[in-house]
Amino acid sequence: MKILSAQQIHGWDAYTIANEPITSVNLMERAATACTDYITQQNFFNKPFKVFCGKGNNGGDGLAVARQLLQQHFDVSVYIIEFGAAGTGDFQTNLQRLHELTVNIHFIQDEGFFPVINKNDIVIDALFGSGLNRPLKDLSAALVQHINQSEAFVISIDVPSGMFIDKSSINNAVVRANVTLTFQQYKLCFLVAENAENTGKLIILDIGLLPGFLNDIETVFQTADAASIQHIYKPRKPFSHKGSYGHALIIAGNTGKMGAALMAAHACLRAGAGLTTLNIPSAFLNAVHSHLPEAMCQLRENGLSFEKINAVGIGPGLGTGDDSLQLIEQTLNEYKLPSVIDADALNIISTHKRLSRLITPGSILTPHPKEFERLFGKAENDFERIDTALKKSAELNCVIILKGTYTLIAQNGKGWFNTTGNAGLAKGGSGDILTGIVTALLAQKYHPFEAALLGVYLHGLAADIALEKQSQESMIASDVVNCLGAAFGGLLMG
């Protein structure tokens, strides 16, 4: 699904209004109804609502929600921030409709008009929506602070007021919502960690915007959805053999970190590589044969061999000593197909910048935020980090998997956010497994970008399936590997 700018979101509304057709105020009513339906399904009976509205269309949404709640006999008070100008046409229409039901409508002209917000109140924030392009100040900022200082349960409509949808809102006055009800699709602001505290639980409501608008729209960002992943996925053919699915080499592990190598190789096997070889120190040969008999071994003391290797994954548990530096340099110099570069391999490259020039085009880099920072420099915020990932993916002609809650896959200046996975992956070994999965897909001749996109999606989906038997706290990396079969099965079932 394409992620739209504020201007494009407005255009999508206009397209729906023109082509459904539907009036703008009726589309607003439909959006408000979706919000009200969610709200009334929660356990908010016998609790008073305080609805805070600006005078734009976000405020119009809030007025319509207030009216619909009143019609269902909820206790509702409405507070409109007043700047002396008239509201939008649809805001004014909804204000007139609301006046027909209640006189409990208040205009906030200065801080003396702020109502007391009690712990038992439900606050609906409809002050400012996705069109906001400058930080809140003066009365608006003070009202946001007043809401945030309360202990009430806060529901934001569209976006938490004060939050920009496509740039950082750090140090801005932003409503701290418990739940955000947004419309139709993800917005970029909801996919970054820095906004999580203000967003709360995100609920995406379908309000029937016409999908045809998206056909000819160019966007920098998209989310990876099930339909796009199924388009990439290539089921195995019945008349095939192990040679049909490639030979993967995992260069990983060292003293104290052989678990990383075993997990990466196990994931590589589970993700479908026809053959998997581990390059390891000879001291750990028995550990591999006893724990992972399906894997072959290449002894590190005997040197690297890339003969008949279709994909290389390098870095998990490798260490950053001189011997590891030599392995990285030899791999980058001699192996000329795309590789998966992770963990200590990235750390070595970050301290020996000359090595970045040796990265084969199409290679896949899989940093977490700290590794990314070591490679490309410190970012002031998540949006700056994302922008750097896009630029570096184009500059290095590679794919960058920037790991996080919504992992970003960047290629050639564009980005795709993954939407599978959960906080159970916030544990040692998860990245090693991802390296093994993506390396296996590369070995099976997936295009590097497709291997990255599919690999990240499967990794998250397997973690979601693992939650059926585990909790996010109890889940370990091996649980995720063991659920890869079910994840593939989910793709086959459509």
Side-chain angles (χ1 to χ4, degrees):
M1 174 71 77
K2 296 175 180 177
I3 299 174
L4 306 185
S5 67
Q7 184 178 2
Q8 289 170 328
I9 291 168
H10 179 74
W12 199 0
D13 287 345
Y15 176 89
T16 301
I17 290 166
N19 290 278
E20 186 170 334
I22 185 173
T23 64
S24 60
V25 74
N26 284 342
L27 182 59
M28 182 177 286
E29 187 74 8
R30 194 156 75 194
T33 299
C35 294
T36 303
D37 286 347
Y38 172 84
I39 292 167
T40 56
Q41 290 168 14
Q42 311 311 306
N43 188 26
F44 294 146
F45 295 103
N46 301 319
K47 291 194 173 187
F49 283 81
K50 285 185 168 66
V51 183
F52 292 88
C53 300
K55 285 192 166 184
N57 284 343
N58 187 243
D61 291 334
L63 295 178
V65 170
R67 172 172 43 79
Q68 292 171 3
L69 290 172
L70 282 166
Q71 290 168 336
Q72 297 187 48
H73 309 294
F74 285 89
D75 178 6
V76 181
S77 303
V78 176
Y79 301 87
I80 300 170
I81 193 165
E82 178 61 77
F83 297 111
T88 63
D90 290 342
F91 171 90
Q92 294 298 142
T93 297
N94 274 297
L95 181 59
Q96 181 179 349
R97 292 174 177 176
L98 189 62
H99 273 301
E100 296 171 2
L101 283 181
T102 183
V103 296
N104 200 358
I105 302 171
H106 312 272
F107 290 86
I108 297 175
Q109 300 175 26
D110 58 46
E111 294 185 33
F113 289 82
F114 290 174
V116 173
I117 303 175
N118 298 308
K119 183 177 181 179
N120 196 46
D121 289 338
I122 306 299
V123 168
I124 295 181
D125 158 38
L127 291 167
F128 302 97
S130 58
L132 187 72
N133 56 18
R134 60 181 182 273
L136 301 182
K137 60 181 182 179
D138 301 332
L139 184 59
S140 300
L143 180 54
V144 165
Q145 184 179 17
H146 180 66
I147 293 171
N148 287 345
Q149 287 174 342
S150 76
E151 296 183 45
F153 191 91
V154 179
I155 301 172
S156 286
I157 306 297
D158 191 22
V159 296
S161 290
M163 184 181 291
F164 299 136
I165 71 165
D166 53 9
K167 59 183 177 181
S168 180
S169 304
I170 288 178
N171 298 324
N172 291 356
V174 180
V175 166
R176 190 165 55 249
N178 298 95
V179 172
T180 297
L181 305 179
T182 199
F183 302 126
Q184 208 66 42
Q185 59 159 205
Y186 283 99
K187 296 174 175 67
L188 183 59
C189 58
F190 300 136
L191 300 169
V192 296
E194 69 183 54
N195 286 334
E197 182 179 351
N198 294 90
T199 301
K201 181 179 181 180
L202 180 68
I203 305 295
I204 300 175
L205 302 173
D206 187 344
I207 61 170
L209 297 182
L210 297 181
F213 175 78
L214 301 176
N215 293 340
D216 299 320
I217 291 293
E218 287 294 323
T219 63
V220 175
F221 298 105
Q222 298 187 47
T223 54
D225 55 23
S228 62
I229 294 299
Q230 287 161 2
H231 181 72
I232 291 171
Y233 174 54
K234 296 179 286 192
R236 293 166 94 90
K237 297 177 181 179
F239 289 92
S240 59
H241 52 84
K242 63 186 179 184
S244 304
Y245 302 108
H247 188 168
L249 173 64
I250 304 291
I251 306 169
N254 216 320
T255 302
K257 294 184 177 180
M258 272 307 297
L262 290 169
M263 286 186 287
H266 190 192
C268 189
L269 287 160
R270 290 289 189 192
L275 296 167
T276 297
T277 292
L278 259 175
N279 177 282
I280 55 164
S282 60
F284 305 108
L285 184 62
N286 287 340
V288 176
H289 286 331
S290 60
H291 288 86
L292 203 62
E294 298 88 351
M296 299 179 289
C297 290
Q298 189 184 99
L299 301 184
R300 195 160 295 167
E301 293 86 345
N302 295 338
L304 282 171
S305 173
F306 302 109
E307 185 179 358
K308 296 182 180 179
I309 295 298
N310 302 108
V312 167
I314 186 167
L318 197 61
T320 56
D322 289 342
D323 56 340
S324 298
L325 170 61
Q326 292 172 10
L327 281 171
I328 300 296
E329 190 158 13
Q330 182 181 354
T331 300
L332 294 177
N333 273 313
E334 296 182 11
Y335 189 72
K336 294 307 178 184
L337 294 176
S339 302
V340 181
I341 305 174
D342 183 34
D344 285 332
L346 295 174
N347 292 328
I348 287 171
I349 292 172
S350 71
T351 56
H352 299 82
K353 300 295 186 184
R354 60 184 174 78
L355 296 178
S356 64
R357 297 191 295 271
L358 302 177
I359 296 173
T360 301
S363 290
I364 302 168
L365 282 58
T366 64
H368 57 56
K370 283 295 184 183
E371 290 165 345
F372 184 89
E373 185 177 293
R374 295 182 197 117
L375 280 168
F376 302 123
K378 187 174 178 60
E380 294 298 320
N381 55 68
D382 289 335
F383 290 86
E384 185 177 304
R385 186 178 296 109
I386 288 167
D387 186 57
T388 299
L390 301 189
K391 290 176 179 176
K392 290 299 181 180
S393 71
E395 180 183 313
L396 297 172
N397 192 16
C398 66
V399 180
I400 296 176
I401 297 175
L402 177 54
K403 291 181 281 196
T405 300
Y406 296 100
T407 292
L408 173 72
I409 299 94
Q411 183 203 37
N412 197 29
K414 292 196 172 185
W416 286 255
F417 287 94
N418 184 60
T419 56
T420 59
N422 58 73
L425 288 170
K427 199 167 288 186
S430 295
D432 306 321
I433 287 169
L434 180 61
T435 293
I437 294 169
V438 177
T439 304
L441 296 172
L442 265 187
Q444 293 167 75
K445 298 182 174 57
Y446 281 89
H447 182 276
F449 166 71
E450 294 180 340
L453 200 63
L454 177 58
V456 171
Y457 187 91
L458 284 167
H459 182 249
L461 182 57
D464 290 339
I465 293 168
L467 279 184
E468 296 174 9
K469 294 184 178 180
Q470 299 293 338
S471 70
Q472 292 182 356
E473 295 81 3
S474 68
M475 187 189 303
I476 60 175
S478 296
D479 296 324
V480 179
V481 176
N482 292 333
C483 289
L484 276 172
F488 276 105
L491 294 182
L492 281 169
M493 293 171 61

